[in-house]
Amino acid sequence: MKSNKKRITTIALSAAMMFSAVAAPAALNSAGLIKTNSFVNELSANAAYATNVVYTVNVSSGVNVRSSRSTANSSNIRGTAPYGADCIITSVVGSWGYTSRIRCGNGFKSGWIYLPNLKQGWPCKITASSLRLRKNPGSTASSNTTLTYIPRNTIVVITGSKKYANSVWLKTSYAGHTGWICFYDQNGQYAIGVSDNGTEF
C-alpha cells in the first residue's frame, strides 16, 4: 500500500513554488514531460492497456471494483470508485485491470476494474476562478484560440505536459473539447494535483 501511494504521489507537480523566480517543477524532465514510470504521455486511443501506470476514473457515476472479472451479477462488487479517483493498474487481462488500492465510497479497495471506464493520466483540480482551455500550449495570446472555460474546483484528467521558458502547460479534455491549460507561469499557479485520497499537493 505504501509503495503504491508513494508512486502516485511522485506524479505531483509541486504546489509550493515561488513565482517571483519561477522554476520548473522537479517532476518535469528537460523535454517538459513528467518523469515517472507511472505517467504515460498522450497515449493514442488505440494503444494497448499498459500496466504499472496511473489510471483515473473517467465516468461521472463512478466505476465498480470487483473481486472477479465478471459483470454477471453484483455479488462480486467490493466498492464503487468515484469520478477522479486514481490507481495503479498492475495487471491486465483483456479489458480488465487489477489494482491493489483505489479509493471507494466504503474505503480503499483492491480488485478488478473495467478499463474502458478509466483514462490513463492523473487528476488535477482547477484553482483559478475560471481557466481557459486553449487550442495550443505555450501562449496566452488572444490568437491562441480559447476552446472553453473550466470553472474553479473542477477536476480534470491530465494526459500530457509541455514545458516552456517560464510556464508549464497540461493537456486535458473538458466539455467535449481537448486542449491545453496553463498549469503555472510567471504570474502564478492555476491548478493543483489531487492524489487518490483527495489530498491536494
Side-chain angles (χ1 to χ4, degrees), residues 19-110:
F19 295 107
S20 58
V22 175
L28 294 177
N29 62 23
S30 59
L33 304 179
I34 298 173
K35 52 180 184 182
T36 167
N37 292 333
S38 296
F39 183 83
V40 177
N41 184 55
E42 299 183 42
L43 276 181
S44 71
N46 297 319
Y49 294 114
T51 57
N52 299 314
V53 300
V54 173
Y55 285 74
T56 303
V57 176
N58 198 38
V59 178
S60 60
S61 58
V63 299
N64 291 324
V65 181
R66 299 175 182 267
S67 58
S68 61
R69 302 185 304 275
S70 173
T71 58
N73 55 63
S74 60
S75 63
N76 64 349
I77 297 177
R78 306 196 65 206
T80 300
Y83 176 81
D86 60 10
C87 64
I88 294 177
I89 295 296
T90 56
S91 179
V92 172
V93 177
S95 296
W96 291 86
Y98 180 84
T99 183
S100 61
R101 185 175 187 271
I102 188 168
R103 175 172 53 91
C104 295
N106 56 342
F108 287 92
K109 300 295 179 181
S110 61

Side-chain angles (χ1 to χ4, degrees), residues 123-142:
C124 193
K125 185 168 76 172
I126 304 303
T127 55
S129 58
S130 182
L131 189 59
R132 294 173 189 260
L133 179 69
R134 295 183 181 270
K135 183 176 181 179
N136 300 300
S139 172
T140 58
S142 58

Side-chain angles (χ1 to χ4, degrees), residues 1-22:
M1 179 183 297
K2 290 183 179 179
S3 63
N4 274 354
K5 187 167 185 177
K6 181 179 180 181
R7 292 180 67 184
I8 291 177
T9 55
T10 59
I11 307 167
L13 298 176
S14 174
M17 292 182 292
M18 299 297 293
F19 295 107
S20 58
V22 175

